[in-house]
Amino acid sequence: MEFLDVIKGRRSIRKYLPKEVEKEKIDTILEAAQWAPSASNKQPWHFIVVRDSDTRTRLGQLHPYGRFMKESPVVIVVLGNPEMHPKYYLCDPHQAVQNILLTAYSLGLGSCWMGVRGASFEDDIKEMLGIPEALTVVCTISIGYPNHKRKSKRYPLGELVSWEQFGKSE
Ligand SMILES: Cc1cc2nc3c(=O)[nH]c(=O)nc-3n(C[C@H](O)[C@H](O)[C@H](O)COP(=O)(O)O)c2cc1C
């Protein structure tokens, strides 16, 4: 697949087939996360792979916009570590998240990013998964074989881009 086709074809998938995700695919996705850029190469992140059905169900109960974590065979919980980079501990894990989403799509999988950081249930997730106090739960990502097709749209480039000076078109 062409790289831009991967970027444009990826959609947030919220319905999943009851089909396991191969361990090799999970490993590839984690490798893609590992190789994301980070400020000063500090890599202030950690990833918890959750496959256990009860834990996923509980995550789905905690997250008001993530009920479907119960259905997706894999959830990756993305953590940021402020001790490793006090300024970029949120930004850097997000780079890894994008790598995860795109790699999942390139492997025929669907995924959805669910924000957690600062939510009322963040501490509940930390307690449930034994996450050290110092770390932040940036988001959760559901992953699995898609059971629906979705469309999305974007603002036209002309509305998003200026050339040379703000507000100036090409
Ligand atoms: C920071 C962030 C938080 C998000 N949180 C949720 C969420 O809690 N639940 C959900 O279903 N989708 C969530 N999404 C997915 C967006 O709704 C989705 O990316 C957007 O609607 C564009 O659709 P697309 O990903 O299919 O292009 C989140 C996306 C981002 C970037």
Side-chain angles (χ1 to χ4, degrees):
M1 220 185 298
E2 290 291 326
F3 191 58
L4 192 59
D5 291 338
V6 175
I7 290 174
K8 291 176 76 173
R10 179 215 57 82
R11 292 279 70 79
S12 292
I13 294 301
R14 300 181 179 94
K15 292 180 185 171
Y16 296 92
L17 295 172
K19 179 181 171 187
E20 290 300 305
V21 175
E22 298 84 341
K23 174 67 167 47
E24 303 75 47
K25 290 194 176 183
I26 299 174
D27 288 342
T28 303
I29 287 167
L30 294 170
E31 204 178 345
Q34 174 191 24
W35 279 94
S38 63
S40 308
N41 202 17
K42 295 284 187 190
Q43 305 162 64
W45 48 49
H46 190 89
F47 309 95
I48 305 177
V49 180
V50 179
R51 292 182 291 187
D52 177 71
S53 170
D54 291 342
T55 310
R56 286 188 291 98
T57 300
R58 181 83 186 108
L59 283 170
Q61 287 166 343
L62 285 172
H63 200 307
Y65 306 108
R67 304 263 176 243
F68 46 86
M69 283 189 274
K70 180 182 175 190
E71 319 295 342
S72 68
V74 179
V75 172
I76 297 181
V77 181
V78 180
L79 310 179
N81 187 340
E83 289 171 351
M84 292 175 83
H85 204 307
K87 188 171 173 192
Y88 288 111
Y89 72 99
L90 292 174
C91 170
D92 290 344
H94 285 127
Q95 312 293 321
V97 171
Q98 180 73 335
N99 282 7
I100 289 171
L101 304 184
L102 293 175
T103 303
Y105 178 66
S106 77
L107 296 172
L109 297 162
S111 64
C112 188
W113 172 345
M114 285 149 276
V116 172
R117 151 92 181 155
S120 58
F121 52 88
E122 182 183 350
D123 283 344
D124 295 324
I125 293 181
K126 285 174 78 164
E127 192 183 331
M128 185 171 69
L129 299 178
I131 297 167
E133 182 56 35
L135 303 192
T136 293
V137 183
V138 174
C139 66
T140 60
I141 305 169
S142 55
I143 299 176
Y145 285 93
N147 199 12
H148 66 161
K149 286 195 189 326
R150 292 202 51 257
K151 290 189 173 162
S152 192
K153 53 189 178 183
R154 296 294 186 265
Y155 294 114
L157 270 185
E159 289 181 26
L160 305 176
V161 180
S162 301
W163 291 77
E164 315 303 345
Q165 295 268 319
F166 185 84
K168 231 179 135 190
S169 48
E170 194 180 9

